[in-house]
Amino acid sequence: KRQALNIHNAYQDDRFNPEIDKQTNYRTRTILCTPILSSTGHVVGVIQMVNKKKGNYRTITNNAKKKKSDAKHHGYESCFESFS
């Protein structure tokens, strides 16, 4: 449908497949995703972020905005858990 999705509980969403979590011993809680559109409006990909960090939203995002983005660190990545 070419719209962003903000899924607050992955396991309660029928579109979520828990098999990857089982195979990797990872626990997906939240999913934020949005389509990437070409200049002609065709879907060419999707950006997906999982497991927003718990805590005060304003504090987390303000700290992320203050972080310098470079090849190794990206400010808004600090709002989400890493896969490692």
Side-chain angles (χ1 to χ4, degrees):
K1 290 186 176 184
R2 297 183 180 158
Q3 64 185 21
L5 294 175
N6 188 357
I7 301 169
H8 297 282
N9 186 331
Y11 281 83
Q12 290 183 351
D13 192 293
D14 292 336
R15 298 167 289 192
F16 178 70
N17 179 356
E19 285 302 312
I20 300 299
D21 278 9
K22 290 176 185 173
Q23 293 172 11
T24 61
N25 203 28
Y26 188 80
R27 178 70 177 182
T28 302
R29 294 187 319 273
T30 62
I31 302 171
L32 177 63
C33 57
T34 190
I36 301 169
L37 303 176
S38 71
S39 59
T40 59
H42 291 89
V43 176
V44 295
V46 175
I47 295 174
Q48 175 178 290
M49 295 171 275
V50 298
N51 292 354
K52 182 178 177 182
K53 285 187 177 179
K54 295 178 182 178
N56 182 284
Y57 169 78
R58 288 183 194 255
T59 302
I60 291 170
T61 55
N62 285 339
N63 287 342
K65 287 177 186 178
K66 292 176 188 174
K67 288 188 177 186
K68 181 179 179 183
S69 293
D70 58 29
K72 188 175 178 182
H73 300 94
H74 306 285
Y76 278 95
E77 283 184 1
S78 63
C79 292
F80 295 87
E81 295 178 358
S82 64
F83 284 102
S84 54

